[in-house]
Amino acid sequence: MAAVRNLFIASAWLPHRGGSRIMYHELLRRQQPGEFSVLTSLHPQSAEFDRCAPYQIRRTDWLADRGWKAPLAWAVLSAKVCAAAARQKPEIIHAGEPFPAGLASRLACGL
């Protein structure tokens, strides 16, 4: 995967329903091609959307972050964020939400 300027991390992305997902997508689709890459959760109907998106989307398992599994989920997500950052070498990492994406970015990369 080529280096991108910005890595956007969000717990869910279109076609997952939700107002923030639409807002994130609208923001990113207005940027220059290659400016953004997205790291987000798996979605069973994402293949067509991802193929047509004007930015890179990488989907991964996003463990539930509730109850006793929370520390494990944060650690796994942090490792995935750090791996994506090492692979893509972005100048900026954007967290779609402060928790868990923002926390994972902070833990993984010391941002």
Side-chain angles (χ1 to χ4, degrees):
M1 192 174 291
V4 294
R5 186 159 184 255
N6 300 281
L7 174 60
F8 198 104
I9 304 160
S11 60
W13 203 261
L14 294 176
H16 184 276
R17 296 178 193 228
S20 61
R21 282 69 174 156
I22 294 167
M23 182 186 73
Y24 300 155
H25 168 69
E26 289 298 321
L27 174 68
L28 268 58
R29 78 177 187 89
R30 288 170 167 76
Q31 306 305 311
Q32 293 293 321
E35 283 286 309
F36 278 88
S37 176
V38 174
L39 177 65
T40 190
S41 61
L42 297 171
H43 188 282
Q45 293 138 357
S46 64
E48 184 176 349
F49 177 84
D50 293 359
R51 194 172 33 258
C52 297
Y55 44 83
Q56 301 170 352
I57 301 175
R58 181 161 189 270
R59 295 187 185 263
T60 186
D61 288 328
W62 202 281
L63 298 175
D65 62 355
R66 290 180 172 77
W68 66 271
K69 294 181 184 178
L72 174 62
W74 302 332
V76 170
L77 181 57
S78 296
K80 290 178 180 185
V81 168
C82 199
R87 221 179 11 261
Q88 297 176 16
K89 302 191 181 0
E91 293 176 21
I92 301 169
I93 297 177
H94 300 270
E97 56 275 320
F99 189 80
L103 176 62
S105 297
R106 176 82 171 124
L107 293 175
C109 303
L111 302 173

